[in-house]
Structures are given as C-alpha cells and as structure tokens.
Amino acid sequence: VLAWLAQEDDKLRIWAEGGDVYVESAMVLAGALKRRDVTPANVRTTTVMMEGTQQSFRQAGKKLDLALGYGMGAVKMARLYGMPLVASRAIRAAWHERWARISAYQTRTVDDAERDRVLVNPFGRRLAFHLEWDKTLGRMRLMDREKALAFPAQSSVGCMIQAVLPEADAVPDARLIATVHDSLLWEVEEGALASTIPLIKRIMERAWVQMGRRAEFGEFKVPIKVSVGRN
C-alpha cells in the first residue's frame, strides 16, 4: 500500500513479478554496513547482529523496511535495534536513496499534515493533527511525525479489512474466529476446504477502486497467502 501511494514503481515491480521486496532492502542494509559477503541468494542464512541477537539479513531488512517506511529516525533506530548511531544513519540514508519515491512521499505527507492539520486516506478516513512551536526551527511542527507517516497506509489497510468483513463472516461452511491487522482466521471443516479457499481468495483479492489505477499495474489488488493447519 505504501509503495502504491508513493508510486515507488521499483518496489511494485518486484512484488508484481513474484519477488521479495525485503530481500532488496536486506541488500540495502548489507551495502550500508559494507558486508560484501551478503548476496540475494544467501540473505536468509547470512546474519547480522540486531536487538542483541543474530538475525538473518532478510529478517533484518524486513524490520528496517517497515520501520523506515513509517518514518523512524536514526536515533530511535540505534536505540531500538542496538546499533551505533553512525551505522543507523548510514542505513537510513541508504534506504531513503534506494526508495527515493517513498522518501519524497514522506516529505509531502508531513508537509500536508502541517499545512492542513489533517490527512485523508484514499477511502476518505480523516485524522487530525496537533502542531507545536519548535524554537529551533522557528515555526510550528507536527507533534507526532511517525503517526502522520503511518496513517495513510495503515488506515487504508484497516479500511480494506473492514470492507471485506461482512462477506468474510458469511463464508459458507466456515466460521471467522479472529482478525489480527491484515490477517483473518477461519475455522473450516476439512471437507469444505476445496470450495472455501477459492471463495476466500475472491473476497480478499478484490480490486480497490479507491486506490486508483496505474497504467503499468492496473487496479490495486492485494495478493493473499492462504495457509491451512489443524487446530
């Protein structure tokens, strides 16, 4: 959703072609840390120290991609992930250079929130913001920059989930028992799986006209992953 809103076409192409966008961000992380031993083929097995443990570069790349996508600063990143400030600054700069359109979109979003004191997502949901006087900058600024950056993408996903819930709750031979952010859980009789899964995919993978249409990618749809297991 964030890549679509920002028109970050490189990230969208990776997704559309069945690639892993977090591998790309893992390579950005490796480049910033000057880890020449890391390649797209071994990002899941090569590790880096983060949060006090050794984690795969792919997992670390995912965490950083989400954190920076929501506007995390270098100081907070260094504290949260347990890395030197100089490293977090280098990583943040490299990420913003690689995903330059998301970076520009973040700047526009903050500017819009400070100018209008409200943001409106593609579904019409609004969120108001308060400003405070910044003595250093000599102007009013957002009290919560990260909240503003998270709102368009997070609230759009929330609107999508809310929109599908009535149909999701009415799937024949299935009982919707939990929703967690962008995941839904049904209880289904084993004999009904063959008919239930295609129906769930049809409900979830609908086109969202609110998000607009892009010439290269068509209408916005969210591909879903269905997993089946015994309770």
Side-chain angles (χ1 to χ4, degrees):
V1 174
L2 177 59
W4 185 275
L5 294 175
Q7 299 188 17
E8 187 61 82
D9 290 349
D10 281 354
K11 182 168 280 197
L12 293 172
R13 288 189 194 101
I14 293 171
W15 187 280
E17 293 168 2
D20 189 333
V21 294
Y22 298 133
V23 168
E24 183 69 16
S25 288
M27 295 308 299
V28 172
L29 170 62
L33 297 177
K34 304 186 186 305
R35 286 284 301 273
R36 294 180 176 83
D37 59 313
V38 182
T39 69
N42 68 15
V43 290
R44 290 176 172 80
T45 56
T46 309
T47 62
V48 61
M49 180 64 72
M50 180 178 286
E51 299 173 303
T53 63
Q54 290 289 334
Q55 301 182 18
S56 73
F57 263 88
R58 196 272 181 188
Q59 180 65 15
K62 177 179 180 178
K63 289 183 178 181
L64 291 171
D65 202 60
L66 296 173
L68 292 169
Y70 290 145
M72 183 179 290
V75 174
K76 183 176 179 179
M77 186 193 304
R79 182 177 67 252
L80 184 64
Y81 296 128
M83 61 178 62
L85 182 58
V86 64
S88 68
R89 284 174 173 165
I91 294 166
R92 190 172 184 273
W95 186 91
H96 279 272
E97 181 179 0
R98 176 64 183 91
W99 306 119
R101 289 191 177 185
I102 292 180
S103 182
Y105 174 76
Q106 290 179 336
T107 299
R108 294 195 304 272
T109 299
V110 171
D111 289 345
D112 290 347
E114 290 186 337
R115 182 190 66 240
D116 303 329
R117 302 196 180 194
V118 66
L119 290 174
V120 184
N121 78 3
F123 294 81
R125 180 174 293 179
R126 302 165 63 89
L127 183 64
F129 293 90
H130 299 286
L131 307 185
E132 63 181 8
W133 181 257
D134 189 305
K135 294 180 180 180
T136 303
L137 298 177
R139 64 174 178 82
M140 299 294 288
R141 70 169 181 85
L142 278 178
M143 294 180 65
D144 194 338
R145 177 176 173 274
E146 288 185 19
K147 184 177 181 180
L149 293 177
F151 171 74
Q154 284 189 340
S155 65
S156 292
V157 172
C159 288
M160 293 176 194
I161 293 295
Q162 287 182 345
V164 304
L165 278 179
E167 287 185 67
D169 199 30
V171 173
D173 302 314
R175 185 167 67 97
L176 182 65
I177 58 176
T179 64
V180 181
H181 186 44
D182 58 358
S183 299
L184 279 68
L185 176 65
W186 288 264
E187 190 171 64
V188 184
E189 291 296 330
E190 190 167 9
L193 284 173
S195 60
T196 300
I197 291 176
L199 179 56
I200 288 174
K201 288 180 69 68
R202 182 186 64 77
I203 292 171
M204 300 292 289
E205 292 185 337
R206 67 183 65 187
W208 296 99
V209 296
Q210 298 90 338
M211 299 290 289
R213 182 182 179 87
R214 299 284 302 283
E216 181 177 349
F217 303 102
E219 295 179 305
F220 182 86
K221 298 180 181 180
V222 181
I224 69 165
K225 177 182 179 182
V226 178
S227 299
V228 178
R230 297 184 180 276
N231 65 17

